[in-house]
Each structure stands twice: as C-alpha cells, then as structure tokens.
Amino acid sequence: MHVTILYGSETGNAESIAKDLGKSINEAAKEGGKSEFTTANVFEMNQFKRKKLMETWAASPANGMARHALIVVCSTTGNGDAPENAGRFIRFIKKPVPESLSKGCADPTKPLTNVAYATLGLGDTNYDQFCASGKLLDRKLNEWGAVRALPLVCADEATGLDSAVEPFLDSVLDGLAHACDSGERKDEVDDALGGGVAAVSLTQDEKANPKPDIGRESECSAAIDEEKGSGSPSEGLANESNGTSSSKPKTEQSTSTSAASKSASPLYILYGSATGNAEHIAKDLAKTYETYLSNPSFLGYFTSVQCCELNKYKKNCLDTWSSSPDSNNLQKVKHGIIIVCSTTGNADAPENADRFVRWIKRKTTKGDTFQHCAYAVLGLGDTNYDVFCAMGKVIDKRLEELGGTRAVSLGMADEATGLEEVVEPWVGNVISELAEVCKGHTSIGSLNQGMRLPEANKRPIRSSSPTDEEKKMEDGDLVPFNSRSTGVRTIRALMSIPITDPLPDVPNSELPTMVSSLSSCQLIDETTRDRSESLAAENMTVSSASSGFLFTASRPYESKILNARYLTKTNTACAAKVAEVLDGGDGKLVEALDMYSHHFPLSEDKNGKRVIEMTMSLPDDFTLEYEPGDSVGMIVPNSRDSIGFVLEMLLRNHGIQRSQRISVDEGDPVTVEEALRTTVDLSGPMKKKRLLLLANFAKDAEEERALRLLSRASKPGEPDLYDTFVEQQRRSVVDILNEFPSAQSISLEGLLGCLTAIPPRYYSVCSSPLKDRQDGNECQVKVAFSVVDFNTPVVQCDVTSGRRVRGLATSRLECVSSPFL
C-alpha cells in the first residue's frame, strides 16, 4: 500500500519528522519489512496542486485499498499562523469545496471520503494558539469527508516533542492500515498512544452511538488545555458567557450552554478611519474575537463577527438592526454594535464614515432606529486641536437619541498623549460589557474590571533560570545571541542591569491586550491576471456634483506639482543643483536627499526652518473641491534603503525574491517589493503592541525579554523605557530589526502583521478656491509644510542616539519640488 505524507514546517521540525518517516517506510519495504505500506511520497503541503493530490484523493484507490492513506505533520508559527509552505493548502481547504472536486460525489461537500488520515500537530504551549494549524487541518479534512484513522496528536515543544511524536510514529501506520484496508474507522486508540499524546478513548455508550468526528476533536482540544493547565478562551470569557466563573470541566460547560444564551446576530464592529488607527483597532478587536470563536469549547455570547467601514452600514447591517433578535419581541435582547471612529479636519468625519454620520444626524431618521441595539463607541482624537473626539461624541449621543442602549460609556483616546492609555483597557473589556447588555441585563455604562476579554496571543512569562534556558536552547528554539545584540545592551544600560544578570520577565497583565496579526499574505506562483483598472462597484463613491469619483487614502488622486517656493529665507543653491540631477528615478532621489543633508547641516543654527508652499494639480472634473481650512492628505512610499533592508532579510531567511507576487489581505497581486514600497509603514516609530508581536519571533531569549519590556505599560514614577528608546529616537521596524537581529527570522506574513499601513501625511490648504477661480486656476490647490529635519536626543548609553532624522514625506516633497524652488 502507498501513503502520502504532507508537511508544513517553519523551523524544520515538521519537515524532518515527515521526511524521516517517509524514508523509513521506503527503506523498510526494500529490506522486506512487515509494514502494510511499501511506498511513501513526502511533499510540502503547498505542492498539492502541482501534484494533483486532491484529484487523486477524490477518486477511488486503484490498488485494492478501501481508502488512500494520508499523514499530515504541521507546525504552527507566529500568531497561530500556518508555515509559509502550508499556507496555500490551508487556505484552499478552508474555502467551500470547488465544483471540480464535488462532481460525481454522493455528497458534494465531502469529496475526500476515499481518504483515511492522521494528523500530527507541532506547537508550543508558551503560545496561546497551541497547535492551531494542526487542529484546523484535522478538523477540515474530516469536514471534507476524510476518515480520521487516529485522533489528532499535539506535540509540545515546551515539554519536548519526543514524548508525543514517538508514540504517534509507532502507531500511525497500523492505524492507517486498518482504516485503509478494512474501510472501517479505528475507534479505539492503541495503548501506545499514551504518554504526552492527546487521544480520545470511546466508552461503551459512545461505541453504540458514536459522536461526529468533529466533536471528538473538540474533546481532544479540551483535554489538551486541561492537561497543560494553559488558560483558554472559555476561562477568560467565563464572565461573558455565564456571568460568573465556573469550575466545571470544559466539556460539561459546553453542553450546558443553551442556544438561548447565544446571540442570533453577529457582533458588529464598525470603524471610521482617516489615518488607519481606528481601522486597525477595529480589525484587531474583530480578529482577536474570531480567534477564540475557532475554539470549540469557547463560550462567548456572540457567535460571529462582522467588521466593516461605517459607510457600509446600509449594505451589511441595517436590515438586521431594524428587527428584534428576540423571537418573542420582548425588546430586552439586543444586537451588539461596537464603533471606533476618529475625527479629522475641522471636526469632520473620516471619508469612510461620513455617510453614516450624515444619516444619523438627519431629522428624518426614525427615533427608534436603534431600539433593538446595544452599543459602545470609542472615539480617537487629538487635544492639540480645538474640537476633541467630535465624531465619537456625535455618534455616541445620536445612537442613544435614536433608541440605542449604551452598554459602555464613551471612550476617548488622545493621540497627543498616546492612544494606548485609553484604547487598551477599553478594548479589553468592551465585548464582555456589551454581551451582558445584549442578553437583556441592565446597562452597565462604564467598564467593569472584573470582566475582561482574554489577553490574546501572549506568551506566558519565561523563567530566567539557567536550566530552563539551556533546555530551550537544546530544543532549538533559542540561540545565545545577546552578546551581539545592540538593542539588548542598550536596554540593560537604560535599566542599569549588569551584563551577568538576565533581563526581567514582564507579566502578561502589563502588556498590551490586543495583539493579533492584521494582515494576511498569499504567495502567488501561478500566472496571475493584471490589476484591473476599474473600481469594484461596492468600493465606488460617486460624487453628487459630477460623474467622477471621490478619492480616498486607498484610492488617491495622482497629482502633479505645478509650482513651489520657499516661504522662509532659504538659500536655493542646493535646489538648483538638485534640479539638474533629478530625473524622477529612485536612485537620483537618494542622491538628492543626500545633497540637501550636506547643504543644510543641523549643527549650524543659522539654517533654521525651511517652509515650502507647493501648488498641486486637481482633477479637471471638479471631483476634488476644497475650502479654506481643509487639509490635503499625501501618500508617500517608503525609502529605498528601508525597502532594500527588508527585501534582503526575506531573501536571506526565506528565499523570497523581490519579484515574487503576493496578495495582501486577498487584494490584487503585487510584487513583494511593491507591497513593501506602498503598503506598510517602514519609517514610523513602532507601537507597543507591534513590538510585542515582533517579540514572538525573536529566537534569542534576552531579545524577546527586551522587546516585551519595551511593550509593557509605563508605571507612574518610573522612567518610560518605550519613550526613551523608541519614541524619542524615532526607531522604526528597520531600526528594531537591526538592533534585535534574532527577530529577523520573522516570516513575510508575520512582518505585515507587525506593521501598520502607510498613513497619509496631512498638510493645511493655504489657497482660496474663490481666488483661484477668479484667476482661472480652478484645478489646483496650494499647501504649506515645514521640512522635518532634526537630531534625536543624545543618550549616553545608547550608541545610535543623537542621529539625524528626516521626514519621509517632507524631505521627498522638497526634492521633487526642487525644479521650482
């Protein structure tokens, strides 16, 4: 008989196990061994299409076997993610069964009834998402009709893989042979599946009335959690689902949760965002909750999440909000809505929220529109402006006036002092508070610290003892890197910790709550279609004044510079020289930036500020009209040096070429280089929760601790390590990766998840549309900006402090404006 072995591997452990097993099968057959299996093929999971495995499995075996035999060995990496060489297979099997496979099947949803399989998941209980990829594969294969020959086995790298892997390898071939030869499922697990292996033994009642396979996998997951003693989502949200904490076993809890305790509608999370902050907070919250929903033992009230822009309220939400979720129409049970909205311009709504705000402000909107809804609003603002969190206040007030029930008092986060101080506690409790009100309980109105969303994707505190450290290094998880790490040495010096002592551990309670990857990326190896130049209808926003489009940060207008001048007394000799060499290419642009740096050394105070007035083109169909006081957002790509560093890192560690095409968040395919150039922010200071995500990829224990120390909440009366090391020195992701090199093994998807989108840079309009119209210059706008160019503070123990920082946008704009200056 023949067996196929698929693996998904990030560090090489899963690949080694799979290849060793395949080699032993083939060698045993040559030596005349007694195994039922005589041949084995070992493939990366992502080779499934090229090898036409799905088509083979959909057909009956031709060698007299009742089923094809399949063994899956898969690790979990990053934030519960699949390894890169398994990502395409997992995304494929998560989708509905394609028609090409369902043809001829008795049940079109189960094309793999001719397959018997066994799954070995590799994970680490130091991470919350233990063996997430293995669990997902085991479940989805069963849902597609494959027969589970053995229960899912989860091997823990924290306690040693061998204790689970060896019994699995000893038993898997016999179990598969039984399932493939007789066509019967192996219901009882061999005694060999004992120590360290998650297994389920059937009672006599279960044999008579077998449960669906998916149920047994759920029991297996619950058993793993109990054996390891790790916190689970059901524990973290016990208050949300039951009102009190319970000591019942998880399997009993799941059966005692009645259908009435579940929401009939999704949890709606909507956002209005100009720079991306509100969008990231909303998507972060949604993705974290979805992570817990994937656990069968999770007891949360909401069973699904709907996350979208506020302007999509009519298409995605309004029909549900208008009807009562309670079949008895008692109006006690509510739909749950969370809104995160920033304020932009002159107390205006972001472009992706303006239609929603206009709708709720209309006098014609019915006063009972939100009578079936409970809500919570988080406003983002900046106290440097006169009107703080205007949109958050308006939405919070109007929803109540339109019949909504406020579950949590309005949260207002200030970008001037740091959003995290308000955002972290707010998002940590809001779902639990909202769930209570949606169940029909009394409105709480303010955050209750007794109820918290489980802390997502945090690693438990690592012990600093030498024995634990040595054990980790033996397992290949950690390497002795710290003596070469500039970042660790600087953190030690800032905290006055001797080099002979380990850095202190950080309790999870002091770390950011919301830590989940924001971006997904798929490597494309087939010929892909060119980018469509047309806009999808659902993304179109037609101007009421013309047939054109309103432009947004995601779909900007490509403007041209028409004129520019210095508003300060600035020597223009450098601009004249730059104009001679600048031809628009990136290479010449780097040279131009260097020319300006040499011409305006910061050591000479006489140079002072450089302020530029720049005139730009507008669309000739008047779809971009403005008023005095408006701001214009400009999107500038990352620097060539930053992009080059990341491309070299990805090539060195993962073999990813700059020309490799990828799809980010299921968007149109672009090259890796283009994605890094225009998609993620490589120049801004890293935020605390992004540092914590990066810490999960650090292979060196001291570097991981240092990154966690930078991520923790500041304490009153203590120096703010994050402010001193990151904020004041403007350290970007490139700087952090340079100073903490063991984190450079981060995957492409992990890197995208650590970074925010490139934010638009907003500059004030300094022209009048009336004057322009009189002068015949309707299709132009003028903005003014100061060129950002400064030295960071000098810190004695920080060897890279006191460096020159140039604004990514303003420095580039000065260069490209040089022909007019």
Side-chain angles (χ1 to χ4, degrees):
M1 295 197 301
H2 174 76
V3 60
T4 299
I5 304 173
L6 297 182
Y7 67 86
S9 184
E10 188 71 24
T11 63
N13 286 332
E15 179 180 2
S16 177
I17 293 169
K19 289 184 175 179
D20 286 349
L21 176 59
K23 184 178 179 180
S24 66
I25 293 172
N26 292 326
E27 289 182 350
K30 291 179 182 178
E31 295 171 0
K34 298 180 180 180
S35 173
E36 297 279 354
F37 295 97
T38 56
T39 58
N41 284 335
V42 184
F43 305 118
E44 288 184 352
M45 288 189 195
N46 283 353
Q47 292 182 303
F48 76 101
K49 280 190 176 180
R50 191 169 66 183
K51 301 297 182 181
K52 300 186 181 301
L53 295 180
M54 286 292 177
E55 292 78 2
T56 300
W57 294 337
S60 299
N63 54 4
M65 296 169 57
R67 295 186 177 91
H68 301 282
L70 170 65
I71 299 173
V72 176
V73 185
C74 189
S75 63
T76 297
T77 184
N79 181 31
D81 301 320
E84 287 189 358
N85 59 6
R88 285 200 299 276
F89 180 83
I90 289 180
R91 283 189 292 273
F92 178 84
I93 204 168
K94 285 170 66 177
K95 296 177 181 178
V97 176
E99 187 178 349
S100 59
L101 290 178
S102 61
K103 288 181 179 178
C105 296
D107 184 345
T109 65
K110 298 183 182 299
L112 300 184
T113 54
N114 295 317
V115 176
Y117 72 97
T119 306
L120 171 63
L122 308 187
D124 188 332
T125 49
N126 284 328
Y127 295 84
D128 284 343
Q129 302 301 311
F130 175 60
C131 285
S133 296
K135 293 176 182 178
L136 174 65
L137 286 165
D138 187 75
R139 186 179 77 248
K140 294 304 293 185
L141 286 169
N142 184 253
E143 290 176 359
W144 278 40
V147 173
R148 185 183 289 116
L150 294 178
L152 166 68
V153 172
C154 296
D156 184 9
E157 192 167 354
T159 58
L161 295 175
D162 292 345
S163 61
V165 172
E166 293 301 330
F168 174 84
L169 296 178
D170 290 342
S171 305
V172 65
L173 295 181
D174 288 342
L176 272 176
H178 179 85
C180 293
D181 186 35
S182 67
E184 298 175 0
R185 177 181 168 170
K186 185 168 185 172
D187 284 330
E188 295 191 25
V189 181
D190 292 338
D191 293 336
L193 286 174
V197 180
V200 180
S201 297
L202 299 180
T203 64
Q204 293 299 321
D205 291 339
E206 288 171 323
K207 291 176 183 177
N209 301 288
K211 298 178 182 179
D213 289 338
I214 184 69
R216 270 202 284 267
E217 194 275 330
S218 302
E219 294 171 18
C220 175
S221 300
I224 293 169
D225 288 338
E226 288 173 1
E227 289 174 8
K228 299 299 180 186
S230 60
S232 75
S234 59
E235 293 170 350
L237 280 181
N239 287 329
E240 181 198 310
S241 36
N242 299 322
T244 58
S245 170
S246 173
S247 59
K248 290 181 182 180
K250 294 172 190 171
T251 51
E252 293 181 19
Q253 287 183 357
S254 61
T255 57
S256 65
T257 304
S258 64
S261 66
K262 297 290 186 180
S263 174
S265 57
L267 168 62
Y268 291 95
I269 303 178
L270 295 91
Y271 59 87
S273 185
T275 63
N277 286 330
E279 178 180 358
H280 289 314
I281 292 169
K283 288 183 175 180
D284 218 356
L285 182 58
K287 190 162 187 176
T288 299
Y289 195 76
E290 286 175 342
T291 300
Y292 294 111
L293 289 176
S294 65
N295 189 323
S297 61
F298 177 56
L299 301 179
Y301 175 68
F302 301 103
T303 57
S304 61
V305 182
Q306 171 87 292
C307 184
C308 64
E309 298 174 351
L310 276 165
N311 278 353
K312 292 185 178 180
Y313 73 97
K314 188 177 293 186
K315 175 184 177 183
N316 296 345
C317 314
L318 196 54
D319 288 344
T320 302
W321 293 348
S322 301
S323 59
S324 173
D326 187 355
S327 58
N328 297 321
N329 200 30
L330 298 177
Q331 296 190 355
K332 290 183 178 180
V333 179
K334 307 286 184 183
H335 303 291
I337 304 173
I338 295 174
I339 293 176
V340 185
C341 190
S342 62
T343 299
T344 185
N346 187 26
D348 299 321
E351 288 183 345
N352 57 7
D354 55 359
R355 288 202 303 274
F356 175 82
V357 173
R358 287 196 298 271
W359 172 62
I360 63 174
K361 289 171 71 175
R362 286 179 194 150
K363 293 182 179 180
T364 55
T365 302
K366 294 182 179 180
D368 60 354
T369 299
F370 290 91
Q371 63 174 325
H372 302 303
C373 301
Y375 70 90
V377 179
L378 173 64
L380 308 186
D382 190 331
T383 48
N384 288 324
Y385 292 83
D386 291 337
V387 184
F388 176 60
C389 283
M391 283 304 102
K393 294 175 182 177
V394 167
I395 294 172
D396 184 73
K397 180 181 178 182
R398 282 298 293 162
L399 292 188
E400 183 180 39
E401 292 173 349
L402 295 173
T405 301
R406 182 185 293 108
V408 174
S409 56
L410 171 65
M412 294 186 287
D414 183 7
E415 193 163 358
T417 58
L419 297 175
E420 290 86 354
E421 293 181 7
V422 173
V423 172
E424 296 302 336
W426 195 90
V427 299
N429 295 274
V430 65
I431 295 182
S432 296
E433 299 281 3
L434 184 64
E436 291 301 306
V437 178
C438 289
K439 293 175 187 177
H441 299 172
T442 305
S443 175
I444 299 170
S446 61
L447 293 177
N448 179 343
Q449 295 302 320
M451 299 182 181
R452 281 193 65 81
L453 183 71
E455 298 181 8
N457 310 315
K458 291 182 185 172
R459 302 179 72 165
I461 306 168
R462 276 188 179 163
S463 168
S464 303
S465 63
T467 53
D468 286 346
E469 204 69 20
E470 291 166 4
K471 185 178 186 306
K472 280 290 184 183
M473 291 179 184
E474 290 173 359
D475 285 344
D477 185 42
L478 304 174
V479 291
F481 236 106
N482 55 303
S483 61
R484 304 203 303 265
S485 173
T486 305
V488 170
R489 291 200 299 270
T490 303
I491 296 301
R492 284 182 180 281
L494 289 172
M495 299 183 70
S496 301
I497 296 176
I499 196 169
T500 55
D501 296 341
L503 290 173
D505 290 315
V506 181
N508 287 341
S509 59
E510 297 180 11
L511 294 171
T513 302
M514 296 303 300
V515 185
S516 63
S517 177
L518 296 178
S519 299
S520 63
C521 108
Q522 177 183 3
L523 292 174
I524 308 295
D525 58 4
E526 303 92 5
T527 302
T528 55
R529 57 181 173 81
D530 293 334
R531 274 191 167 187
S532 173
E533 295 181 358
S534 61
L535 301 177
E538 64 180 290
N539 293 325
M540 291 182 178
T541 307
V542 181
S543 167
S544 59
S546 73
S547 59
F549 302 112
L550 291 177
F551 299 96
T552 65
S554 59
R555 301 187 184 277
Y557 169 68
E558 294 187 6
S559 181
K560 295 181 179 179
I561 299 175
L562 303 178
N563 200 1
R565 62 178 178 132
Y566 282 114
L567 298 180
T568 49
K569 293 182 179 180
T570 303
N571 189 327
T572 61
C574 183
K577 293 179 181 179
V578 169
E580 294 177 1
V581 301
L582 192 64
D583 62 1
D586 277 353
K588 295 295 183 181
L589 186 61
V590 172
E591 182 181 346
L593 290 169
D594 290 339
M595 290 172 66
Y596 271 108
S597 294
H598 292 307
H599 190 78
F600 296 107
L602 294 179
S603 57
E604 298 181 14
D605 295 335
K606 63 180 182 180
N607 290 314
K609 293 177 61 176
R610 306 197 300 277
V611 181
I612 296 175
E613 177 192 86
M614 187 170 65
T615 305
M616 299 181 299
S617 65
L618 293 178
D620 57 11
D621 61 356
F622 307 105
T623 52
L624 265 181
E625 297 181 338
Y626 71 92
E627 297 177 357
D630 283 352
S631 296
V632 174
M634 299 187 195
I635 300 175
V636 179
N638 288 306
S639 70
R640 188 181 183 185
D641 289 345
S642 297
I643 298 168
F645 171 84
V646 177
L647 287 173
E648 191 278 330
M649 181 186 76
L650 293 173
L651 178 62
R652 182 178 69 251
N653 294 315
H654 303 290
I656 297 176
Q657 301 284 342
R658 64 175 62 216
S659 58
Q660 171 71 58
R661 293 177 70 79
I662 63 172
S663 173
V664 180
D665 290 333
E666 300 182 355
D668 293 329
V670 296
T671 64
V672 173
E673 183 174 15
E674 180 65 14
L676 293 174
R677 199 174 86 90
T678 61
T679 304
V680 291
D681 185 9
L682 299 179
S683 63
M686 287 203 76
K687 300 298 183 184
K688 288 185 177 181
K689 58 184 176 181
R690 307 298 162 208
L691 288 167
L692 183 55
L693 273 171
L694 196 61
N696 290 334
F697 291 91
K699 291 186 175 180
D700 174 60
E702 288 292 275
E703 289 189 17
E704 184 196 17
R705 292 190 186 99
L707 290 169
R708 286 169 67 92
L709 284 166
L710 291 171
S711 306
R712 71 175 178 178
S714 57
K715 296 181 179 180
E718 290 187 6
D720 191 333
L721 193 63
Y722 170 83
D723 182 67
T724 302
F725 186 81
V726 179
E727 195 66 43
Q728 292 184 23
Q729 298 299 323
R730 310 298 293 173
R731 278 183 163 95
S732 66
V733 63
V734 173
D735 299 320
I736 296 294
L737 287 170
N738 265 315
E739 298 189 63
F740 299 90
S742 79
Q744 291 184 21
S745 61
I746 186 171
S747 64
L748 175 58
E749 186 167 12
L751 181 66
L752 293 176
C754 286
L755 302 175
T756 58
I758 295 181
R761 273 69 172 181
Y762 286 91
Y763 304 106
S764 299
V765 170
C766 62
S767 57
S768 166
L770 296 177
K771 177 112 176 19
D772 288 341
R773 200 169 294 126
Q774 291 171 359
D775 297 340
N777 298 322
E778 296 102 325
C779 299
Q780 68 179 38
V781 63
K782 294 179 181 178
V783 297
F785 58 88
S786 295
V787 179
V788 177
D789 194 4
F790 64 95
N791 284 329
T792 63
V794 175
V795 180
Q796 187 174 5
C797 59
D798 188 347
V799 295
T800 62
S801 65
R803 61 195 178 125
R804 187 169 187 171
V805 175
R806 297 179 300 192
L808 177 69
T810 57
S811 295
R812 187 185 182 101
L813 291 174
E814 182 178 36
C815 286
V816 297
S817 299
S818 295
F820 303 100
L821 296 175

